[in-house]
Each structure stands twice: as C-alpha cells, then as structure tokens.
Amino acid sequence: MNKLSVSSLTCEYLQNPLGIDVRKPRISWQLQSDRRGTMQLAYQYQVSLTKNHFDLPLWDTGYTKCDQSLHIPYEGPELSSCTRYYYRVKVWDNFGRESDWSSVSWWETAFFEASEWKSGWITPNPEELAPESEPAFLLRKEFKLKSGIQSARIYATSAGLYELYLNGERVGVDLLTPGWTSYHKRLQYQTYDVTEQLNSSSNAIGVMLADGWYKGNLAWEGKRNTYGDTRGILLQLNVRYLDGTEEVIVTDHSWKASTGPILFSEIYHGETYDARLEQIGWCNSGFNATNWKSVVVLNSQLTNLIAQENNPVRVTETLQPITAFVTPNGDIVIDMGQNMVGRIRFKVQAPSGTNIVMKHAEVLDKEGNIYFGNLRSASQTIEYITKGEGVEEYAPAFTFQGFRYVKVEGYPLHDGALPVVNFVGEVIHSDMEQTGIFETSNPQVNQLQHNIVWGQRGNFVDVPTDCPQRDERLGWTGDAQVFIRTALFNYQGGPFFKKWLRDLKADQFEDGGVPFVIPDVLPDSESSSTAWGDAAVICPWTVYLVNGDKHLLAEQYESMKKWVEFIRQQGENEYLWNTGFQLGDWLGLDAKENSYIGATARDLIATAFYAYSARLVRDAAVVLGKAEDVRHYSELVSGIIRHFNLEFITSNGRLTSQTQTAYVLALVFDLVDGKVRERAAYELNEQVLENDYHLTTGFVGTPYLCFALSNNGYHETAVKLLLQDTYPSWLYSISKGATTIWEHWDSIKPDGSFWSDDMNSFNHYAYGAIGDWMYRVVAGLDMDESRPAYKRIRIQPRLGGAELTHVKAVYHSMYGKIVSAWTITEHEVQIEVEIPVNTSAEIILPHAKLIDIQEGGGPLTASKGILSKTQALDGVHLEAGSGVYRFNYPNVRGLGRVYTVETRLIDLLNDDCAKEILENYAPGITKPNPTANLKMKTLNELTAHKRAKIPQEKLLDLISELNQAASAQYSLR
C-alpha cells in the first residue's frame, strides 16, 4: 500500500470554484505520508476537458522537479469561457516514492470578455414604478426550453442586492449578493448551476431586488444613493443541450416588474415584511402577471464586471436562544447568549394583520433593560405582518443585525410567556474555512479567543467592517491592517483579502493617498492617515507571508509603492512625516480629556509607520526581484530611521514621547538599537509595571505591545498583561460578560455605566489583534519569514506561569496541519508538535537539556525525523522534518515562573558551567546566599538598568558566553 498521497486540491484557494475569470488559475495541494521527514521532490499536473479521460490531456506538466505545492499556475492552452476544466496531481518524494493520482477536482470559467454578455441592465419602468420606491422590486420572466438539457448556468449581478428564484425555488444559498465592491470600478457577478432546476418546457425566473449598499443608507450622515439612484439587475441564463446547441435567456424588455411583501429594507435599519402582500407563485410559470409593470433597459456599463472573487456571505451556524425574560421596563427580550451578527428566523401562527416587531441590541444596561443608545441612527428593527394562514416562517433577506438581545413586540404569548422555541438565530458572515484553534488551561483566555473569533465572524461580512450594529459598518483600513495576521490564523482569508485589496487599489487616489474606508464612501478629505493608509502595504505583505501569494503581492506592488511615495511627498523632509491630519493612537487611554487621539506624538507614529511600510516595500521588491527598487527603498528606510532617531530620541537615549505606544513602535519596527533599544525596552516595561500591569495603548500600539515586551526580555510582563482582568485589560471585558471584542477598553465601566453613546461598539475586532501574539509567542507557532506560507516553521513555546499550564495552537496552513502544544506540571514539560508534509521546522524546547529529553516514549537520539540537535542557553534547538513529535523532559523550574532573560540567569546560578563566567562579570554573585530572596535581590541588582553592577549592553555578551559554555558542558554529559 502506497502511504504517500495527494489531497486537498484547491484552485485560487477554493475547492471546485464555479465561475471564475482567471486566465491562468493557480492550484495548490497537500501531501499525506506515513513517514517522517517527507518532502516533495517533483510533481505532475494534468488538466482535461473530461473528468474520466486524462489519456489525452489538454495540458500535462510531465515530471516537474520542484518542491512547491502552492499556487502552481496553469500554463496550458488558452482557456475558454463558460467551460469546466478537470485536473489531478501526483508527486514524488525524497524517499523515492511515487504517489497515485489524486482524486479529480475542477474549476469552471465564467466570462473573459464583456462582449460575452448578451443581456442588458433592466429596471422597472420609472413611469410605472418609481426608482426611489422603498419596497423591494420583484422581476420575472417566463420562457420555454427544449428537452435534452445538458447543463445550465445563470450569471447574475445587480445594482443593489438581489435574491434569485427559478421555478418557485431559491437559487443557491448565498446572501447579500453581489457583495460590496467599488461598484463603479469593480462589480462582482455570481455563477449558479441550475441544471437540475430547469424543466424541458415552461420555466420562470424571479428576482427580488433591494437597495443594499448600492443606493441605501451608508455612513452616519444619512447619505444615500452613493453609487446610483436606480436599482437594476443583469442576468443571463446559458443553456447547453445534449445535441450541442445552446440557448441564452437574457434580461431585456420582455421582463415584468412589481413590488411584493418587502415594504422596506436597509442594511442599517432592518426590514418590514407584510405577508399579506405575498404574490404566490410569482416565480413560477403560469403566474398571472397581468397587473405587473414593464421594464426598461439601462445604458449601464459592462466593462467593470468581474466574476465572484471572495467567499460568499452565508448562514454558517444557527443558535438557539438561551432564554426570554421581562426587563424592569416591562419589555419582553430574547437572550441569544452570544453577541452575534445575522438575523432571527421565527415561526408564528396568528390572525391576519398581527404586527410583530423585533428590535436588536448588543447589551443590557446596569438596570437590566435593553440598551439601544450605541446604535446611533441605526434602527436594527424587523417588522413582520402576518397573513393569518397557518404557521408562517420568516427571516429578513437584505439586511443583517449585530445583537445578543432582541426586544419582541406583538408576538402571541403562550401561557403568558414568549415561546422561544419558535425563534432561532442565523449567524451570517463570509463563509471562510476556519483554519486556527487556540486553547489554554485558563478559561478567561479561552473566552478571549472565543471573543476574537466571534468578533471576526461578525465583522467579516464581505468586507472587513469596523462594527456590525450602528450606522457605520464600513471597511476601515486601520482596523483591517492591525488585525489581519490574527484574522489569517483563524480563517483562510486569502480570497476575502484579495477581493478587498483590489478594491483598495481601485479606490486609491492618484497621488497615492488611501481612503479611510474601503470601499470608499467618505468625503475625499477624510483619507490618508498613517496606520490606516498603511493597510495598502501591510495587508498584501501579510497575505504573502501567511499564504505565499506572490501573485497578489505583485499585483498590489504598485499600490504599495504609491502609498510610500505619497508619504515621501508630504512636508519638507522626505524622511519624516510631520504634516497633515493623523488619527494617531486612536482611543489611546492616555488621550487628553474629550479627545479620541492618544498622547503619543502623531508625527512620531507617522514616521514610525513610514519606516515600516518602506521596509515592507523593500522586502516585497526582494521577493519580486526588483533590484533597483531594493536599492532605492533600502536607502529610504535607512534615511527614515536616521531621521527618526534625530527627531524623536534625546541625547540621553530617551524617546521624546514618553508613552507605551511610542516605545512599542520604536521597538517592533526596529527603529532603535544598541543602548537606545535596551533603554526603550526597559522604559516600556517600567511604564507597564508602574501602571500595575495595565496598558494605556490605543488602536496603534495595542497590537504590538506584547511583542515589544516578549521580544526584548520582558515576556513575564507581557503574560501578566494578558492575564490582567481589571480595567483596562483584555480580560476586563470578559469579567463584564463580553462575548466579542469591545471598541473601548471601558465600553462598560466598572460601575456598570456606558462609555459615550456616540462610538461604543461591543463588537469591534481591533483589540483582538492580541491573538497574533498568543498564537505566535505564547503557543510558539510561527514561521521563518524567508520561507513564507509556513514552508519552514518555527516552533518556540514560551512556557509561562501558574495560570497557564497548558497551551495549544492548531493551524491548518496551506501545506497542512501544524500543531504547537505544551503542558507543564511541577515536575515535567510535555510538548507536542506536528509538522505537515513538504515542510520543515526549527523546534526550540525551552530550558531543556539534551540528555533529559524523550520523544515518543524513547530517547531523543533514537527519534526519526530529527535532523540535528543543539544545546543552547535557552534550551534545545532541533531541526525536524514532517511528522508528529511528542517531547517530554524534567521541569527544572517548577510552576509559576515565566521564562525570561532574568529567569535564565537565575537558573544559571545553580549551574556549575556558568559560575566562572558570572564571577568575571559580578564577583560574589555565585556565592551561596542565606535565602532565595537575597539571591533574587542580588540578581535584580545585576540586571536592573538604573542600578547596574553589570552594564546592560553586556547582557547579550554574557548570554552568548554562557550559551557556549553550556553547550560544551552538555555535549560532554
């Protein structure tokens, strides 16, 4: 039996995508093997026009020596539109094995040219049905087909939001189609396989059409008609018969229009549905449409049409209410038990004309009443009027709400109570594949991860929105860039961000400036702030790192450059950004009274991000082989860093802005080094300690705060920050019952009152960016960034504290499943690692000794798949191939201590190999002390900056020498 196999084939990230317009689609696959250390040496990739006949393939790579299994482009004959292509893969490995062919997968193309659209845009005749009419439009057409249908596809899009029906049945399950893009430049259309829904005789197509993002209310000033003032539909049905002939049904003058039961529908405000106005059979053939109106064909463009790029929005989960109760104000309220985004579906049996109203909200106030204040002008109200004919069922079609609680009015009570069994919550978001799992021994940290995931689900509704409940729900660039690395761990967001970044590129201004929100619906004057516009650079680079998507990086490269060059043109000094409007450290807690902008100098933040984006553009130039740009941006980065130090570092090595965020950015963006870096790390740590392990950072500083601490010798402080549960902290909201991430650290204050109504979302994912640090540092699941997409993995768990005795991260990368999990007891450390086939890893087992490690129940020396072993000061470093590894070794430290530079030195005080070196630096330090407390006191004096008996800059030298001594000693044992 061959235990090498190929699985999980995808095309453009998707399994069997229906209706793409990529001329050279890229495929990826994963490998399975029963042997550790398996690597792909070569592949063969075949494409055929028939599923079961590859004898004469359309294209065959033949035996191709290559270890890549991601984003392999099709390079065969030019593809045809509206055609299905089948493909399969086989591989050869480093053990001389040849796999069987994979199972067959496929992709299907849509239209490559605008001329292939035979349809026209239609809308109800404005003389008969006003374009500004609030009710959703119904449009229909009857048609006849021949017998012998082989296949049929509908291609459809709209100006507005549409739902599609065929012969009385809904077509597909996607919601809020065609999605939200920069409509004038890029409008998605969807492809539906309707072969099984057609009859070999009479048929009828029906479309429901609402305002949606196209012409409905957007943003907080009541703005409407952002993209146009007329709804429209464009639809084409292509039918192929067994005899080889084809027939096309199009949108044209022959269609009819009316209104129906949806009297009102808005993204922010909800939906009103009068079931008495339902037109039974309106999307069936034979329906009497005598009173329906005519349609007109619009002169709308077709050149902006693109096939669906991202994952569609769908119902991904259902939740049952946990209870219904009566508030002190006498309202009947349903509690879903989870702040969710989506809709309520309910059943009801009541007399005709019964008016049921549901108002959605996120939280209760301190008196226990439902709280609507933070919705601002958004109504979030669903109204349903019964027709009175048995059991009726309803869920809104063209809106979504952010809510945990629902106030219900008018619903018939049973024995004086609301029958919650008749209500269900449908969770709605872009239907991305979940890729990440993170769990710990600490229930509050687990709840934090739960909140991060639910915050992402609620705000990834076709675009990465800032909030899902109030009159905003916009694609804020700053929120997206700070959260993207966390987002891409939790879900496969390749298609999601590919589509959004193409809109960013489309909406970017000619001078390189970037709007605050994408798609851009705000005035042009509201744009181009640092950390927000930097999404143009940070997001494509992050997608490249996580998914290895070099094609997207190349596609966005000019946009990335334009943003950096935009900054370069600001002000008089090309190496500083100290002009224009900046949002600064948004919502920083050190802000002045009545200000949203934190205390960190905005020009410091702007220049720091300028350096970071310039560095990433340089790195992208390296990846893309643009040598001249590498030189150009290398010089630019050096100049920015030099001027940053001149402008923002005093002669004594202190930052001019004494804030947590200032120190964080200087450290994580590598803007300082040597003594200045050491002092910056020390000052940051001191600020956190002096604030009793609380943060003061806003949107800009928070994502990087724990990285700055952990990566500069203060991991213990970072862990204590994570575990802090009093305001302000990540766990404070959990102590208040949060089930998603809040916009403000004190959205609910300790006394139960609320932050201001004007901007107080309880589902706002930005502060959930802490997840990235939890996964990569605490769990230790990271990568060597020179080998993107986790081709070379770095596993380095940071064992920590009595409150964290177990941590596990699982990530389903494009190569396969990666696991980094650790458990510590008083006496033992257990670490589980899984490395997918066709990748390798560096594994660092913290504070372990080679002679003590067991793997899989046996000595490490007998472990297969381990390519090298090295003893180092921080533990044992291993080079490993693919496979599952289970390590265990004695816990020499016990519980309750987080491993930092200082704790390493403490351990070395008890290690003979280190004493001589320590004595050279600090005579007497290794002599026995009367108590452990005195020994700790001496160590603190050794390592403290302000009382240094040993110069701080010598610490790394000390560590290096101790490392060499330890390695020499351990290798002799």
Coordinates of all heavy atoms in Angstrom, one line a residue, residues 360-363 371-378 380 467 469-471 743 754-763:
H360 N -33.2 44.9 17.8 CA -32.0 44.2 18.1 C -31.0 45.1 18.9 O -30.8 46.3 18.5 CB -31.3 43.6 16.9 CG -32.2 42.7 16.1 ND1 -33.3 43.2 15.4 CD2 -32.2 41.4 15.9 CE1 -33.9 42.1 14.8 NE2 -33.2 41.0 15.1
A361 N -30.3 44.6 19.9 CA -29.3 45.3 20.6 C -28.2 44.4 21.2 O -28.4 43.1 21.2 CB -29.9 46.1 21.8
E362 N -27.1 44.9 21.6 CA -26.0 44.1 22.0 C -25.9 43.8 23.5 O -25.4 42.8 23.9 CB -24.7 44.8 21.6 CG -24.4 44.9 20.1 CD -23.1 45.5 19.8 OE1 -22.9 46.8 20.1 OE2 -22.2 44.8 19.3
V363 N -26.4 44.8 24.3 CA -26.2 44.6 25.7 C -27.4 45.1 26.5 O -28.3 45.8 25.9 CB -24.9 45.4 26.2 CG1 -23.6 44.8 25.7 CG2 -25.0 46.9 25.9
Y371 N -30.5 48.0 25.8 CA -29.8 49.2 25.5 C -29.6 49.5 24.0 O -28.9 48.7 23.3 CB -28.4 49.2 26.2 CG -27.5 50.3 25.8 CD1 -27.7 51.6 26.2 CD2 -26.3 50.0 25.1 CE1 -26.8 52.6 25.9 CE2 -25.4 51.0 24.8 CZ -25.6 52.3 25.2 OH -24.7 53.3 24.9
F372 N -30.2 50.5 23.5 CA -30.1 50.9 22.1 C -29.3 52.1 21.8 O -29.1 52.4 20.6 CB -31.5 51.1 21.5 CG -32.5 49.9 21.6 CD1 -33.5 50.0 22.5 CD2 -32.3 48.8 20.8 CE1 -34.4 48.9 22.6 CE2 -33.2 47.7 20.9 CZ -34.2 47.8 21.8
G373 N -28.7 52.7 22.8 CA -28.1 54.0 22.6 C -26.9 54.0 21.7 O -26.7 54.9 20.9
N374 N -26.1 52.9 21.7 CA -24.9 52.8 20.8 C -25.2 52.6 19.4 O -24.3 52.6 18.5 CB -23.9 51.8 21.4 CG -24.4 50.4 21.1 OD1 -25.6 50.1 21.3 ND2 -23.5 49.5 20.8
L375 N -26.5 52.3 19.0 CA -26.8 52.1 17.6 C -26.8 53.4 16.8 O -26.8 53.4 15.6 CB -28.2 51.4 17.5 CG -28.3 50.1 18.2 CD1 -29.7 49.5 18.0 CD2 -27.3 49.1 17.7
R376 N -26.8 54.5 17.6 CA -27.0 55.9 16.9 C -28.2 55.9 16.1 O -29.3 55.5 16.6 CB -25.7 56.2 16.2 CG -24.5 56.2 17.1 CD -23.3 56.9 16.5 NE -22.8 56.4 15.2 CZ -21.5 56.3 14.8 NH1 -20.6 56.7 15.6 NH2 -21.2 55.9 13.6
S377 N -28.1 56.2 14.8 CA -29.4 56.3 14.0 C -29.8 55.0 13.4 O -30.9 54.9 12.8 CB -29.2 57.3 12.8 OG -28.2 56.8 11.9
A378 N -29.0 53.9 13.6 CA -29.4 52.6 13.0 C -30.6 52.0 13.8 O -30.6 52.0 15.0 CB -28.2 51.6 13.1
Q380 N -32.1 48.9 13.3 CA -32.0 47.4 13.6 C -33.3 46.8 13.9 O -33.4 46.1 14.9 CB -30.9 47.2 14.7 CG -29.5 47.3 14.2 CD -28.6 46.3 14.9 OE1 -27.8 45.7 14.2 NE2 -28.7 46.1 16.2
C467 N -17.6 47.6 12.7 CA -18.7 47.2 13.6 C -19.9 46.8 12.8 O -20.1 47.2 11.7 CB -19.0 48.4 14.6 SG -19.6 49.8 13.7
Q469 N -23.3 46.9 14.0 CA -24.6 47.2 14.6 C -25.0 48.6 14.3 O -26.2 48.9 14.1 CB -24.5 46.9 16.1 CG -23.7 47.8 17.0 CD -22.3 47.8 16.7 OE1 -21.8 48.7 16.0 NE2 -21.5 46.8 17.2
R470 N -24.1 49.6 14.4 CA -24.6 51.0 14.3 C -24.6 51.5 12.9 O -24.3 50.7 11.9 CB -23.7 51.9 15.2 CG -22.2 52.0 14.7 CD -21.4 52.9 15.7 NE -20.0 53.0 15.3 CZ -19.0 52.9 16.1 NH1 -19.2 52.5 17.4 NH2 -17.8 53.0 15.7
D471 N -24.8 52.8 12.7 CA -24.9 53.3 11.3 C -23.5 53.6 10.8 O -23.1 54.7 10.5 CB -25.7 54.6 11.4 CG -25.2 55.6 12.4 OD1 -24.3 55.3 13.2 OD2 -25.7 56.8 12.4
E743 N -15.0 47.9 21.4 CA -14.3 49.0 20.8 C -13.5 49.8 21.8 O -12.4 50.3 21.5 CB -15.3 50.0 20.1 CG -14.7 51.2 19.4 CD -15.8 52.0 18.7 OE1 -17.0 51.8 19.0 OE2 -15.4 52.7 17.8
F754 N -22.1 53.2 30.8 CA -21.5 53.0 29.4 C -20.6 54.2 29.1 O -20.8 55.3 29.5 CB -22.6 52.9 28.4 CG -23.5 51.7 28.5 CD1 -24.9 51.9 28.7 CD2 -23.0 50.5 28.4 CE1 -25.7 50.8 28.8 CE2 -23.8 49.3 28.5 CZ -25.2 49.5 28.7
W755 N -19.7 53.8 28.2 CA -18.9 54.9 27.5 C -19.9 55.6 26.7 O -21.0 55.2 26.5 CB -17.8 54.2 26.6 CG -16.6 55.1 26.4 CD1 -15.6 55.2 27.2 CD2 -16.4 55.9 25.3 NE1 -14.6 56.0 26.7 CE2 -15.1 56.5 25.5 CE3 -17.1 56.2 24.1 CZ2 -14.5 57.4 24.6 CZ3 -16.5 57.1 23.2 CH2 -15.2 57.7 23.5
S756 N -19.5 56.8 26.1 CA -20.4 57.6 25.3 C -21.2 56.8 24.2 O -20.6 56.0 23.6 CB -19.6 58.8 24.7 OG -20.4 59.5 23.8
D757 N -22.4 57.2 24.0 CA -23.2 56.5 23.0 C -22.7 56.8 21.6 O -23.0 56.0 20.7 CB -24.7 57.1 23.0 CG -25.5 56.5 24.1 OD1 -25.0 55.7 24.9 OD2 -26.7 56.9 24.3
D758 N -21.9 57.8 21.4 CA -21.6 58.2 20.0 C -20.6 57.2 19.3 O -20.6 57.2 18.1 CB -21.0 59.6 20.0 CG -19.7 59.8 20.8 OD1 -19.3 58.8 21.4 OD2 -19.1 60.9 20.7
M759 N -19.9 56.4 20.1 CA -19.0 55.5 19.5 C -18.6 54.4 20.5 O -17.6 54.4 21.1 CB -17.7 56.2 19.0 CG -16.9 55.4 18.1 SD -15.5 56.4 17.4 CE -14.6 56.8 18.9
N760 N -19.5 53.4 20.6 CA -19.4 52.4 21.6 C -19.8 51.0 21.1 O -20.8 50.5 21.6 CB -20.1 52.8 22.9 CG -19.7 52.0 24.1 OD1 -18.6 51.4 24.1 ND2 -20.5 52.1 25.1
S761 N -19.1 50.5 20.2 CA -19.4 49.2 19.7 C -19.0 48.1 20.7 O -17.9 48.1 21.2 CB -18.7 49.0 18.3 OG -18.8 47.6 18.0
F762 N -19.8 47.1 20.8 CA -19.5 45.9 21.6 C -19.0 44.8 20.7 O -18.9 43.6 21.2 CB -20.6 45.5 22.5 CG -21.0 46.5 23.6 CD1 -21.9 47.6 23.3 CD2 -20.3 46.5 24.8 CE1 -22.1 48.5 24.3 CE2 -20.6 47.5 25.8 CZ -21.5 48.5 25.5
N763 N -18.8 45.0 19.5 CA -18.2 44.0 18.5 C -17.3 44.7 17.6 O -17.8 45.2 16.5 CB -19.4 43.3 17.8 CG -18.9 42.1 17.1 OD1 -17.8 41.8 17.0 ND2 -19.9 41.3 16.6

